[in-house]
Amino acid sequence: MIEPALVADGVDSEARRHVLRALAAGTGIGWDGADRAVFEERFDRHFPALFRLFHELYGVRQDWLDQLTDLVLQSARSWAERPAALKGLDAEREHNSGWFQSNTMLGGVCYVDRYATDLEGIRARIPYFKELGLTYLHLMPLFLAPEPHSDGGYAVSSYRDVNPRLGTMQQLRDLAAELRANGISLVVDFIFNHTSDEHEWARKAAAGEPAYSDYYWIFPDRSMPDAFEQTVREIFPDDHPGSFVDLPDGRWVWTTFHTFQWDLNYSNPDVFRAMAGEMLFLANQGVDILRMDAVAFIWKQLGTPCENLPEAHTLLQAFNAVCRLAAPSLLFKSEAIVHPDEVARYIDPAECQLSYNPLQMALIWEALATRDVSLLTQALERRHNIPDGTAWVNYVRSHDDIGWTFADEDAAELGINAFEHRRFLNSFYVNRFPGSFARGVPFQDNPRTGDCRISGTTASLCGLEGGTAAAVERILLAHSVAFSTGGIPLLYLGDEVGQFNDYEYAAEEGHGTDSRWVHRPHYPAAGYARRAEPETTAGAVFAGLRRMVSVRSATPELAGTRLVGFVTNNPGVLGYQRPGNGTVVLALANFSDGPQEVTAVTLSGFAADAVDVQTGAHVRLDAGLVLEARQFLWLRVTPRP
Ligand code: GLC
Ligand code: GLC
């Protein structure tokens, strides 16, 4: 409810005066004049947006202005406490806001324990990260979590404590600083859709404390859960049906994912403020990028799918506005594994500057299976370009399953029946389709809905167990797309030495029923030991990827995200152009199992002389080009006027 006096004067200016008075009183902020001046300048720039967003979310509440005031004071305190080195970084990145769009950016992701035992072990691997060329390191969730059931750390019991098995917060801070000194940005998850059931807030809610019961979606009986479940899909049906679980006292709590992951209630501004505090705490430890987990699910509304609601965007923008005040160099990466239209809506400089590119990921696998690039070509032409000031994170696979998230309507335009096609892809990747090379396993196979996703390492999905040259070529072909379409390429560490599926997961406590662990192997020591021996499969994969990294870093056209389509007139050959300054890199990738031609006529829009940027050799385009099976070419070409 808005007070009449506020309406008369303009709600925003009155709110602004109210907040400024509180800032001037400065209770408990403890800042010096310089910090204060910087904050006030940012406040002038960003308060209008924060006000609008916060008011949109919580303006119906009597206490909205006090809540907003507290939020700004909390941001001011966090800024005052921000370490000097990070303030320096804030200033530096303000002048170089496109830093993450460089063609030298390369991401890697790993589990701290599985890859290196603990944070100290990660520190010891920095020389290797530099050898590989990493500039971005995503450490999978490393916070206090229930054991052994923690969804790989995605159930957080405290955002301010490192899991003691992995180290301490001091070690995380030191690691962040050392990575930064080595040119590597630290990425951690912000798991803000839910906490674990062992989080202090959840314990208090379970004990019946009303203030904390309001932190979650808890209902006295099944009536609201039944009503919500009319329109909400099941995410982990193997774990529990529907989206709610019952508590010992008979109440029901919303759990989109596992039973021990309780969804937070963002219609309560206390939750927003509390989580903004956790976010700024992480920022001040030296985290550069927050991976915003499960963004699609953060707002619920009866009668809707409770995914991708407009308020989810408002919330992300509000979190972003808080960062602009208190930790301006921090970036968000969206994890939205949903319809491609919806994925794109999270990508905005004022929302998430980075986003996983799940469509490209899925369609790389689709093209490898079908040997036909039409869906991938269509996606690149239609869905690749995103706003200035943002970038894709392009990957071949992640720690999660592969879901076939292409749009049914896009497929229909190409005469493809999406339902049948997904069935084909699932059977292909679990090796039930005759002639399949893949060694994947099903994830959340749901006979009721026909839904199924795929688990497997890159090497196993490409069939490297057979030890064939073709499998190595598939691995490199897949990565060539992620490395050259535009955005930050992200490697799942260990894949660069061709790690296989790890079936031991079935015997690990807490992992047995979740097939995603098949593609989260322990550090593949033997593969790494052979990485310098190109005659081994590990060495061949490593050499191929290393070469791609260095060629990419030396090819300025591959910076940024902008892509222009290129029709190859050959359904087996993918083509796209990456425009640079006057020149263009034309990428061609042959997904078929035999040589394929791109004709001289098709290439006639370019001058006859081109340079293969991988080898430096000159190539003539006026006789057409033949690509060997699974070969990719990156050619610097000159468009004819
Ligand atoms: C994200 C994570 C996934 C996790 C889920 C719940 O989708 O990638 O691993 O299970 O969120 O936190
Ligand atoms: C997790 C799951 C994935 C699901 C997604 C929704 O990433 O692994 O299958 O679609 O959450 O965001």
Side-chain angles (χ1 to χ4, degrees):
M1 205 192 54
I2 300 164
E3 294 153 42
L6 292 192
V7 179
D9 190 48
V11 184
D12 50 348
S13 49
E14 178 52 33
R16 182 195 189 85
R17 279 197 289 277
H18 191 274
V19 175
L20 279 173
R21 274 196 297 275
L23 273 178
T27 325
I29 300 180
W31 52 13
D32 61 26
D35 279 349
R36 182 173 174 158
V38 172
F39 190 85
E40 284 175 354
E41 187 268 323
R42 287 199 205 121
F43 178 85
D44 281 343
R45 258 190 297 157
H46 300 293
F47 182 74
L50 179 62
F51 163 79
R52 178 179 53 77
L53 297 161
F54 198 85
H55 190 262
E56 232 170 271
L57 291 165
Y58 304 117
V60 293
R61 296 189 35 131
Q62 207 99 49
D63 63 344
W64 71 269
L65 186 52
D66 292 333
Q67 293 271 5
L68 177 60
T69 305
D70 284 353
L71 178 65
V72 175
L73 287 178
Q74 177 185 0
S75 308
R77 273 195 298 277
S78 176
W79 166 247
E81 287 160 10
R82 190 160 168 81
L86 300 178
K87 286 179 173 155
L89 190 69
D90 292 335
E92 191 184 308
R93 293 212 167 139
E94 210 155 5
H95 297 291
N96 180 21
S97 57
W99 64 275
F100 56 88
Q101 289 160 325
S102 157
N103 51 308
T104 60
M105 284 295 290
L106 174 69
V109 53
C110 66
Y111 285 90
V112 174
D113 53 349
R114 298 175 90 79
Y115 195 75
T117 309
D118 54 20
L119 290 176
E120 197 43 46
I122 294 286
R123 217 168 73 97
R125 297 218 194 284
I126 291 178
Y128 171 69
F129 297 150
K130 296 192 73 173
E131 173 192 337
L132 187 58
L134 284 200
T135 62
Y136 161 126
L137 178 66
H138 174 199
L139 297 179
M140 293 296 290
L142 40 76
F143 305 103
L144 191 69
E147 304 281 2
H149 296 282
S150 70
D151 189 19
Y154 280 99
V156 176
S157 302
S158 164
Y159 299 90
R160 296 189 184 224
D161 291 293
V162 169
N163 186 323
R165 283 194 295 113
L166 308 179
T168 63
M169 205 39 95
Q170 183 60 48
Q171 282 176 320
L172 184 65
R173 273 193 294 274
D174 293 346
L175 176 64
E178 193 163 339
L179 287 169
R180 197 175 321 117
N182 282 284
I184 303 173
S185 297
L186 176 62
V187 186
V188 305
D189 284 80
F190 189 48
I191 300 149
F192 70 124
N193 174 69
H194 45 263
T195 72
S196 89
D197 58 353
E198 293 185 3
H199 193 286
E200 187 194 341
W201 305 334
R203 289 181 197 268
K204 290 183 175 167
E209 280 190 43
Y212 288 96
S213 294
D214 282 350
Y215 268 50
Y216 300 92
W217 293 89
I218 299 183
F219 300 103
D221 53 43
R222 279 293 312 176
S223 52
M224 287 305 286
D226 284 341
F228 274 113
E229 280 177 2
Q230 298 288 314
T231 51
V232 168
R233 77 183 163 120
E234 292 178 321
I235 303 298
F236 286 166
D238 288 359
D239 186 69
H240 63 286
S243 295
F244 294 81
V245 295
D246 54 343
L247 298 177
D249 62 8
R251 295 183 297 163
W252 290 80
V253 59
W254 197 311
T255 58
T256 296
F257 296 94
H258 293 91
T259 55
F260 50 84
Q261 288 164 301
W262 291 14
D263 289 49
L264 285 163
N265 173 11
Y266 280 99
S267 70
N268 175 359
D270 289 339
V271 171
F272 182 85
R273 277 195 304 112
M275 289 304 287
E278 305 311 81
M279 171 182 81
L280 292 179
F281 173 83
L282 293 176
N284 280 359
Q285 309 312 302
V287 172
D288 293 274
I289 299 173
L290 285 178
R291 172 193 179 278
M292 308 301 278
D293 184 55
V295 293
F297 299 91
I298 56 179
W299 193 268
K300 334 278 189 201
Q301 170 103 43
L302 193 62
T304 75
C306 298
E307 280 184 57
N308 306 309
L309 295 179
E311 291 85 351
H313 297 280
T314 314
L315 271 171
L316 281 162
Q317 289 165 23
F319 277 122
N320 198 324
V322 170
C323 289
R324 303 287 74 82
L325 288 179
S329 58
L330 193 72
L331 299 180
F332 289 173
K333 173 172 78 156
S334 154
E335 189 244 354
I337 315 300
V338 289
H339 188 288
D341 289 345
E342 299 294 349
V343 173
R345 289 199 178 105
Y346 294 96
I347 308 173
D348 188 288
E351 194 167 327
C352 295
Q353 299 81 8
L354 302 171
S355 168
Y356 280 110
N357 193 347
L359 178 64
Q360 175 175 294
M361 182 278 291
L363 292 180
I364 288 172
W365 293 107
E366 190 270 348
L368 284 171
T370 58
R371 282 81 161 170
D372 181 311
V373 300
S374 355
L375 270 172
L376 185 50
T377 303
Q378 182 202 47
L380 287 175
E381 281 179 359
R382 186 176 291 183
R383 299 188 179 275
H384 183 81
N385 288 320
I386 50 178
D388 286 346
T390 67
W392 288 114
V393 173
N394 293 318
Y395 61 116
V396 168
R397 64 94 160 194
S398 71
H399 70 289
D400 277 333
D401 46 290
I402 298 171
W404 308 109
T405 58
F406 57 84
D408 294 16
E409 57 280 16
D410 289 359
E413 270 180 46
L414 299 172
I416 297 169
N417 174 308
F419 183 80
E420 289 304 323
H421 201 50
R422 289 193 182 98
R423 270 168 55 124
F424 156 71
L425 291 166
N426 282 327
S427 81
F428 186 93
Y429 278 104
V430 302
N431 201 262
R432 284 187 208 132
F433 191 84
S436 166
F437 50 75
R439 299 280 183 280
V441 300
F443 177 68
Q444 305 289 330
D445 200 350
N446 190 340
R448 208 171 50 71
T449 57
D451 187 29
C452 177
R453 285 108 78 185
I454 297 296
S455 294
T457 65
T458 302
S460 292
L461 293 174
C462 287
L464 191 65
E465 279 87 347
T468 61
V472 173
E473 288 161 7
R474 280 184 208 109
I475 296 172
L476 297 179
L477 182 65
H479 283 96
S480 81
V481 177
F483 274 59
S484 63
T485 50
I488 304 174
L490 175 61
L491 282 172
Y492 192 98
L493 291 173
D495 278 7
E496 75 279 21
V497 292
Q499 65 191 341
F500 292 148
N501 283 352
D502 170 19
Y503 298 97
E504 303 292 315
Y505 85 91
E508 288 167 5
E509 215 186 352
H511 296 169
T513 56
D514 185 341
S515 76
R516 291 176 299 174
W517 289 99
V518 86
H519 57 233
R520 301 167 179 176
H522 291 273
Y523 182 78
Y528 280 115
R530 285 193 290 269
R531 70 184 184 276
E533 301 162 24
E535 63 290 355
T536 65
T537 51
V541 173
F542 187 78
L545 281 170
R546 258 302 306 152
R547 198 164 62 116
M548 243 185 265
V549 174
S550 56
V551 171
R552 179 175 183 275
S553 315
T555 308
E557 293 90 336
L558 298 182
T561 290
R562 204 163 81 80
L563 176 148
V564 177
F566 181 74
V567 178
T568 64
N569 296 313
N570 182 329
V573 182
L574 181 69
Y576 45 92
Q577 308 175 63
R578 299 298 319 284
N581 232 339
T583 53
V584 167
V585 164
L586 170 69
L588 297 171
N590 179 7
F591 277 76
S592 82
D593 284 327
Q596 292 292 334
E597 190 186 2
V598 180
T599 65
V601 173
T602 301
L603 295 165
S604 60
F606 305 115
D609 182 42
V611 174
D612 178 336
V613 299
Q614 293 187 81
T615 60
H618 284 262
V619 177
R620 301 275 320 165
L621 303 182
D622 49 0
L625 286 172
V626 175
L627 284 91
E628 297 308 319
R630 297 170 295 274
Q631 189 190 358
F632 66 93
L633 284 173
W634 294 346
L635 302 173
R636 180 167 287 128
V637 295
T638 316
R640 287 188 199 278

